């Protein structure tokens, strides 16, 4: 048989019948790289992790998309409220008290003649700050205490369980009325500290259960048999696989903490004037609900929308991270 000429732009592949077949360079490269090719030596696709599957599901979930857009908008106006309003929330004109919507003042005025739109915008900063800081504090403290108790067990686990039972028995609103009534500071930090103080037991119990479940898995037992230290097992093997329930509960709780701050401010023990808070505005507007309902409608609507957005986000994250719902 005559020898096949060499062509730089092609490749020679045997036909299995003593002949040869010309392939283009791109076709030969594709054949070599295709998984399960003639030799079965193609690169295998890496298995997706829980987090990559969760992110894929979240991107396809309209509930997550809508809630994330709302939350991003709230975060934006809490960081830069002057981007959508040029007025000061403390600038008031008693001559315009309780007046309705006007050009340049779409939400009208409150009982002191302050612009309701501006106060609603600036109230977002307080609510988001309290919600985010309280959630971070609760998540960190509860995860550390619950994770250590679930990992080591024994005496400290029993002590933590009894302490959490005591905290669960304290009514949240009543505890806030008692504890915050003696605080003289007029910042958000006493409210954040109170929420962390009464909120960590819930996260601790969730983290404890997740760690107890994760430490019984085979990969943890294998790491332990190979001589891995407790710190490495806890941080490298258990924590990444036990953090999902904590994230879900913390995301839902963030909206609850925002509502709790508004409730405490409404009762007069949370934030106080001259701070701007939706709870303060709702409390002030409650006396004028018949004559000027717009004073109550807008801050209450903003509060309800914010809480709903975080609860919807938490539900979407739960559905994406729970393998039983796939």
């Amino acid at each position: 048989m005559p020898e096949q000429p060499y062509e730089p732009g092609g490749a020679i592949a045997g036909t299995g019948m003593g002949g040869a077949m010309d392939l283009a360079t791109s076709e030969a490269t594709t054949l070599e790289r295709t998984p399960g090719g003639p030799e079965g030596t193609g690169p295998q696709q890496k298995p997706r992790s829980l987090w990559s599957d969760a992110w894929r599901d979240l991107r396809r979930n309209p509930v997550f998309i809508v809630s994330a857009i709302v939350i991003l908008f709230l975060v934006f106006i809490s960081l830069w409220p002057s981007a959508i309003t040029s007025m000061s929330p403390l600038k008031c004109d008693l001559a315009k008290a309780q007046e309705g919507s006007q050009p340049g003042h779409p939400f009208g005025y409150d009982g002191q003649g302050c612009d309701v739109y501006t106060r609603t915008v600036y109230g977002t900063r307080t609510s988001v700050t309290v919600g985010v800081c309280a959630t971070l504090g609760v998540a960190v403290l509860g995860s550390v205490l619950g994770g250590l108790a679930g990992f080591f067990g024994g005496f400290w686990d029993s002590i933590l369980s009894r302490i959490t039972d005591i905290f669960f028995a304290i009514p949240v609103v009543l505890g806030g009325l008692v504890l915050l009534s003696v605080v003289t500071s007029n910042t958000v930090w006493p409210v954040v500290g109170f929420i962390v103080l009464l909120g960590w037991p819930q996260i601790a119990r969730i983290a404890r259960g997740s760690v107890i479940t994760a430490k019984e898995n085979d990969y943890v037992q294998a790491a332990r048999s190979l001589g891995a230290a407790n710190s490495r097992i806890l941080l490298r093997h258990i924590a990444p696989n036990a953090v999902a329930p904590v994230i879900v509960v913390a995301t839902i709780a963030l909206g609850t903490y925002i509502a709790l701050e508004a409730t405490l401010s409404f009762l007069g023990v949370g934030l106080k004037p001259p701070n701007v808070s939706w709870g303060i505005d709702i409390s002030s507007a409650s006396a004028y609900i018949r004559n000027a309902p717009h004073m109550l409608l807008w801050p209450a609507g903003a509060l309800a929308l914010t809480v709903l957005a975080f609860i919807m986000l938490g539900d979407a994250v739960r559905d994406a991270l729970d393998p039983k719902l796939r």
Side-chain angles (χ1 to χ4, degrees):
M1 176 182 296
E3 190 175 319
Q4 293 288 344
Y6 170 72
E7 296 182 8
I12 306 299
T15 62
M17 299 175 58
M21 178 176 61
D22 290 339
L23 296 176
T25 303
S26 59
E27 297 177 11
T29 304
T30 303
L31 181 62
E32 293 176 358
R33 295 182 179 179
T34 302
E39 302 297 332
T41 58
Q44 300 297 323
Q45 184 178 6
K46 294 182 178 180
R48 292 191 300 266
S49 64
L50 172 65
W51 302 104
S52 61
D53 285 342
W55 176 240
R56 182 192 60 182
D57 293 342
L58 287 174
R59 289 181 298 176
R60 300 176 180 178
N61 190 342
V63 174
F64 171 78
I65 296 175
V66 172
S67 60
I69 291 174
V70 173
I71 291 172
L72 289 176
F73 175 72
L74 293 172
V75 171
F76 172 77
I77 63 176
S78 66
L79 294 175
W80 299 284
S82 59
I84 60 175
T85 179
S86 59
M87 298 185 61
S88 171
L90 302 179
K91 183 179 180 180
C92 306
D93 185 0
L94 285 175
K96 299 181 179 180
Q98 303 183 36
E99 291 186 2
S101 176
Q102 298 179 4
H105 306 277
F107 294 176
Y109 297 88
D110 64 5
Q112 300 296 323
C114 303
D115 184 60
V116 176
Y117 171 77
T118 303
R119 290 187 63 86
T120 302
V121 170
Y122 275 86
T124 308
R125 170 180 292 178
T126 301
S127 297
V128 172
T129 301
V130 171
V132 171
C133 293
T135 301
L136 290 176
V138 166
V140 172
L141 181 61
S143 298
V144 171
L145 295 179
L148 293 176
F151 182 75
F152 292 104
F155 173 76
W156 295 110
D157 187 18
S158 301
I159 292 296
L160 179 70
S161 298
R162 302 295 75 79
I163 293 176
T164 55
D165 291 339
I166 294 174
F167 275 92
F168 277 126
I170 301 176
V172 177
V173 177
L174 180 59
L177 290 173
V178 174
L179 295 178
L180 294 178
S181 61
V182 298
V183 176
T184 58
S185 176
N186 195 23
T187 63
V188 300
W189 302 117
V191 179
V192 171
F194 165 74
I195 295 175
V196 173
L197 178 63
L198 293 188
W200 71 265
Q202 180 186 18
I203 299 295
R205 181 164 290 184
I206 297 296
R208 172 184 174 273
S210 298
V211 169
I212 290 176
T213 302
K215 75 176 184 178
E216 300 299 331
N217 291 329
D218 294 337
Y219 56 84
V220 176
Q221 302 301 325
R224 193 185 303 275
S225 64
L226 292 174
N230 287 333
S231 58
R232 179 179 178 85
I233 294 175
L234 188 58
L235 296 177
R236 296 291 300 273
H237 300 286
I238 294 181
N241 295 282
V243 73
V246 174
I247 294 177
V248 173
V249 175
T251 306
I252 297 176
L254 199 156
T256 305
Y257 297 153
I258 291 176
L260 178 58
E261 178 275 321
T263 301
L264 295 174
S265 299
F266 177 85
L267 296 174
V269 296
L271 297 176
K272 303 175 183 64
N275 288 311
V276 181
S277 168
W278 291 333
I280 296 175
D281 291 347
I282 293 173
S283 178
S284 302
S286 60
Y288 306 96
I289 188 171
R290 292 187 177 181
N291 299 329
H294 66 275
M295 294 171 49
L296 178 65
L297 175 64
W298 295 110
L303 175 62
L305 179 63
T306 302
V307 175
L308 179 61
F310 280 105
I311 291 178
M312 291 171 57
L313 180 67
D315 289 340
V317 173
R318 180 199 59 194
D319 295 341
L321 292 177
D322 191 350
K324 297 180 181 178
L325 300 177
R326 295 185 180 279

